[in-house]
Structures are given as structure tokens and as C-alpha cells.
Amino acid sequence: MKFGWETILIFVAAAALTAVVAWVMHLKTRGVLRVLINSIAGGALIAGLSAFNVLALPFNVFNAALVGMLGLPGAGVVVAVAMLL
């Protein structure tokens, strides 16, 4: 059975999502609140970039959480994936 790059990308994304969920579960309440606020800010960043036609980024909860948890590197990941797809 051959694996394409899409399958490998799905496996990597699933492993990353599992690691993020495990990390969030180990945070205290204050840390979870910080992640929530950062996710809202990440969603605002994605919406702002899309609203001003800087980049056409998909606006969803996963992208907002990714940008919120990872910061600017997360925004870079979202932009790179949007450009690849």
C-alpha cells in the first residue's frame, strides 16, 4: 500500500492535534483561559487578514485555535497550508 503526501500530512496533523490536546489538559484553569483568549485573538487575526483581502484564509475554529496556541508560527502554518491547497 502506497502512502501519498496527503496521508502523511493527515498523520502528522493527527499527532500534532493529540499533542496539543494533551498539553491543554495538563494546564491549570489560568492556562486554559490564556489559550482561549489567544485563540480568540488568532481568529480575529485570520478574520482581519481575510477582510482586508491581504490573504484569503479559511476562517474556522481549528485555524483560530492553531494561531492562538502557536502565535505567529501558527499563522505561518495556516498561511502555508492555505497557499498549498
Side-chain angles (χ1 to χ4, degrees):
M1 173 183 230
K2 292 175 115 178
F3 289 111
W5 66 273
E6 295 95 357
T7 306
I8 295 170
L9 185 63
I10 289 171
F11 280 122
V12 170
L17 183 61
T18 303
V20 167
V21 169
W23 174 70
V24 168
M25 292 301 172
H26 282 88
L27 293 176
K28 295 183 179 175
T29 305
R30 192 166 124 180
V32 173
L33 182 63
R34 180 175 174 220
V35 169
L36 179 66
I37 291 170
N38 285 346
S39 296
I40 292 170
L45 175 70
I46 292 171
L49 289 174
S50 294
F52 294 111
N53 293 329
V54 175
L55 292 170
L57 298 174
F59 182 71
N60 56 34
V61 176
F62 178 73
N63 287 345
L66 186 68
V67 173
M69 284 186 232
L70 298 179
L72 288 178
V77 168
V78 169
V79 169
V81 169
M83 288 184 175
L84 286 175
L85 300 176

